[in-house]
Amino acid sequence: MKARTFSLVCLLALLSQTYGLDNGLALTPPMGWMSWERFRCNTDCKNDPLNCISENLFKTMADEMVLKGFKDAGYEYIIIDDCWLDHQRDENGKLTPDPERFPSGIKALADYVHNLGLKFGIYEDYGNFTCGGYPGILGYLEQDAQTFAEWEVDYIKLDGCYVDIHQMDTGYPDFGDYLNKTGRPIVYSCSWPAYWEDEVPDYPKIAQYCNLWRNYGDIQDSWTDVLDIIDHYGDQQNVFAQFAGPGQWNDPDMLIIGNFALSMEQSKLQMAVWAVLAAPLIMSNDLRNIRPEFTEILTNRNVIKINQDPLGHQGRRMFQDKKAQIDIYVKQVLPMANGNTSGAVVIMYRGNDGTPVEVEFTPEQIGLSHFNGYTMFEVFENEELGLVMPAETVKVKVNPNGAQLLKLVANSARMFNGVESSWHPNAIESADSLSSIKVSSMGKTGWKSDDEL
């Protein structure tokens, strides 16, 4: 078992020391839709006109984002990923879109998105070529930044194929400076640290120049990939979690909810963990035929509120029991009471035994020790579960391949029959060892243990 603890003092210290790109953007994690995971580099509009990378696809997704309530829930960016470009720059060295798939041009597409009240994002690569083999920005940084501003781009993802990684430490900041000099507010998403593999990237510098950054491999339409990314964020949290905050976010990659791989429970788990990690909520799915139950998960206002909490704290893995297959992540959120934050808690169970497990813990075991206690809610259904004190046991059942997402709202005062309690933090006994968090398999309650045989 592995366990970690933290305090409000540590949180405030981290927040006071964060670095940030000085463009005033992405003060909460960006929310939107991106083409890559679901539609990839499909350029065959002759044989697959409904799914190829074209202006029609992005117009349609923008329409669906409005019609199906995603815009009202907070999703605002429509982002083109790779394979939108023509294979060559024009005679003046300017980037141009593929003329058959984007006959109206990028500025007209941006106008269409803006007229829906949404924002427009685009992809490029800090290299000679994009990952798909189209023109990169190397050698054209200033010109391309100006082009994106002229097209009224609001968000740019800059990938890192076909370039020496040691050039990134100067190249990514240089392009960010050119973006700022255009005068247009453009959210800057960097893939800078994702290419460093065994070397530790310069996270203070990355956070200084980027609004968000990818630092792991691309997500695939796979439950295994979701778990792999979650494990990476837990295992490496001491390396990069402290650099997350308003205007600067670690990006574990796209939400694949509503595609082919994830069940309902798995979808709720990805949404819950991404919310607690303060991750950008960038969907990559087909909004034309997404099932209503997946739309409900993606647009759940209570979950989104946790993700968009203005403190900007990236949740930490506070407990892991690999044998029981339980992980607990905790994110500090508002409101505050008596100097203590509230907490969002996701308890995930990656087992597949066929029945839920019961997890027992106390708030103080996972770093929540506010002496006036908490009012606890189940977040997806917004169900109030009652008052819980720091040393009181909480019992929750977690479905296989699923998660429970709780919010513990710090109480300003503990009341009994209208009288304020004299509860005091010095009255709290020492927290139990995290190893005493109990996990019980409900499917084995009639099973004899090894000790009984």
Side-chain angles (χ1 to χ4, degrees):
M1 296 183 186
K2 296 180 180 178
R4 303 179 190 278
T5 59
F6 56 81
S7 67
L8 175 61
V9 172
C10 294
L11 167 66
L12 295 177
L14 287 172
L15 290 176
S16 67
Q17 294 173 10
T18 53
Y19 306 83
L21 177 64
D22 188 20
N23 63 5
L25 302 175
L27 298 181
T28 58
M31 298 175 61
W33 182 93
M34 180 182 286
S35 57
W36 181 254
E37 198 290 317
R38 177 61 181 82
F39 294 96
R40 301 296 173 137
C41 189
N42 180 355
T43 61
D44 189 357
C45 290
K46 180 179 179 180
N47 294 305
D48 197 7
L50 296 180
N51 299 303
C52 65
I53 302 301
S54 67
E55 64 181 44
N56 291 332
L57 178 68
F58 293 95
K59 287 180 179 179
T60 301
M61 292 302 162
D63 291 339
E64 293 291 334
M65 204 152 86
V66 175
L67 291 172
K68 291 184 175 172
F70 291 96
K71 176 190 171 188
D72 289 341
Y75 294 88
E76 60 178 342
Y77 292 97
I78 292 286
I79 307 164
I80 305 176
D81 209 282
D82 204 351
C83 305
W84 61 272
L85 283 155
D86 199 359
H87 284 285
Q88 302 293 333
R89 292 173 179 266
D90 71 11
E91 62 275 11
N92 298 313
K94 188 172 182 178
L95 293 172
T96 58
D98 183 281
E100 295 183 3
R101 294 182 287 116
F102 294 86
S104 303
I106 297 300
K107 175 61 167 63
L109 179 56
D111 289 344
Y112 186 93
V113 170
H114 291 151
N115 288 337
L116 292 172
L118 300 170
K119 295 179 180 179
F120 178 71
I122 206 164
Y123 166 101
E124 248 295 357
D125 187 288
Y126 180 66
N128 293 306
F129 303 99
T130 72
C131 296
Y134 296 85
I137 70 168
L138 198 61
Y140 296 88
L141 274 64
E142 184 173 12
Q143 180 177 1
D144 290 350
Q146 189 59 46
T147 296
F148 293 136
E150 291 169 1
W151 287 345
E152 297 188 8
V153 168
D154 305 297
Y155 178 116
I156 182 165
K157 172 185 171 181
L158 192 66
D159 215 335
C161 287
Y162 300 107
V163 68
D164 182 344
I165 62 170
H166 296 99
Q167 291 182 249
M168 294 179 177
D169 284 348
T170 55
Y172 272 92
D174 286 347
F175 188 65
D177 286 340
Y178 286 127
L179 288 176
N180 283 344
K181 288 176 182 177
T182 67
R184 176 154 186 91
I186 301 176
V187 171
Y188 188 23
S189 171
C190 305
S191 296
W192 183 354
Y195 289 85
W196 283 76
E197 297 181 351
D198 296 332
E199 296 184 58
V200 178
D202 187 349
Y203 276 108
K205 191 171 185 179
I206 292 166
Q208 183 179 356
Y209 287 100
C210 304
N211 291 117
L212 61 154
W213 50 87
R214 288 280 310 285
N215 49 16
Y216 201 50
D218 288 356
I219 195 169
Q220 309 298 323
D221 193 7
S222 160
W223 171 235
T224 301
D225 259 37
V226 172
L227 294 179
D228 184 44
I229 290 169
I230 292 170
D231 285 341
H232 178 75
Y233 268 64
D235 294 343
Q236 300 296 316
Q237 62 189 10
N238 288 340
V239 176
F240 53 73
Q242 68 266 32
F243 298 104
Q248 52 192 72
W249 309 102
N250 290 295
D251 181 3
D253 212 3
M254 293 160 277
L255 294 167
I256 59 171
I257 296 164
N259 288 332
F260 304 105
L262 301 190
S263 69
M264 283 286 294
E265 292 296 329
Q266 292 165 347
S267 297
K268 290 175 70 175
L269 184 149
Q270 191 194 16
M271 189 71 181
V273 174
W274 263 235
V276 167
L277 289 177
L281 300 183
I282 306 294
M283 305 176 289
S284 189
N285 46 23
D286 192 341
L287 298 179
R288 296 169 296 193
N289 53 30
I290 189 170
R291 285 160 41 188
E293 57 266 36
F294 292 117
T295 298
E296 186 176 339
I297 292 171
L298 287 162
T299 58
N300 188 295
R301 302 298 205 277
N302 301 314
V303 181
I304 291 171
K305 184 177 180 180
I306 288 171
N307 174 263
Q308 297 286 296
D309 184 82
L311 280 181
H313 176 246
Q314 179 175 318
R316 269 49 166 197
R317 187 174 69 196
M318 303 297 288
F319 174 80
Q320 183 182 53
D321 185 336
K322 290 185 177 181
K323 182 178 180 180
Q325 302 185 82
I326 290 289
D327 300 78
I328 301 178
Y329 285 77
V330 182
K331 171 182 171 66
Q332 302 284 331
V333 296
L334 297 175
M336 296 184 71
N338 307 108
N340 293 280
T341 59
S342 301
V345 180
V346 60
I347 306 135
M348 56 175 280
Y349 172 48
R350 63 184 77 198
N352 54 11
D353 288 346
T355 57
V357 294
E358 184 176 74
V359 181
E360 299 180 34
F361 65 94
T362 66
E364 65 184 3
Q365 285 178 313
I366 55 173
L368 300 173
S369 55
H370 176 45
F371 59 90
N372 282 331
Y374 303 87
T375 302
M376 187 166 64
F377 295 85
E378 191 284 319
V379 176
F380 276 99
E381 301 300 329
N382 197 32
E383 178 184 358
E384 184 174 338
L385 303 177
L387 176 70
V388 60
M389 300 307 294
E392 287 186 289
T393 298
V394 175
K395 295 183 180 182
V396 295
K397 288 185 172 65
V398 189
N399 292 337
N401 291 327
Q404 279 278 7
L405 180 58
L406 306 174
K407 186 173 183 179
L408 278 67
V409 178
N411 295 320
S412 58
R414 190 184 190 202
M415 308 293 288
F416 289 101
N417 298 321
V419 179
E420 185 172 344
S421 169
S422 60
W423 183 280
H424 190 273
N426 291 336
I428 301 176
E429 296 179 2
S430 298
D432 294 336
S433 167
L434 276 163
S435 64
S436 67
I437 289 179
K438 184 178 178 182
V439 181
S440 304
S441 173
M442 306 309 293
K444 294 184 177 180
T445 51
W447 196 282
K448 284 191 175 182
S449 69
D450 292 340
D451 293 337
E452 296 175 296
L453 296 175

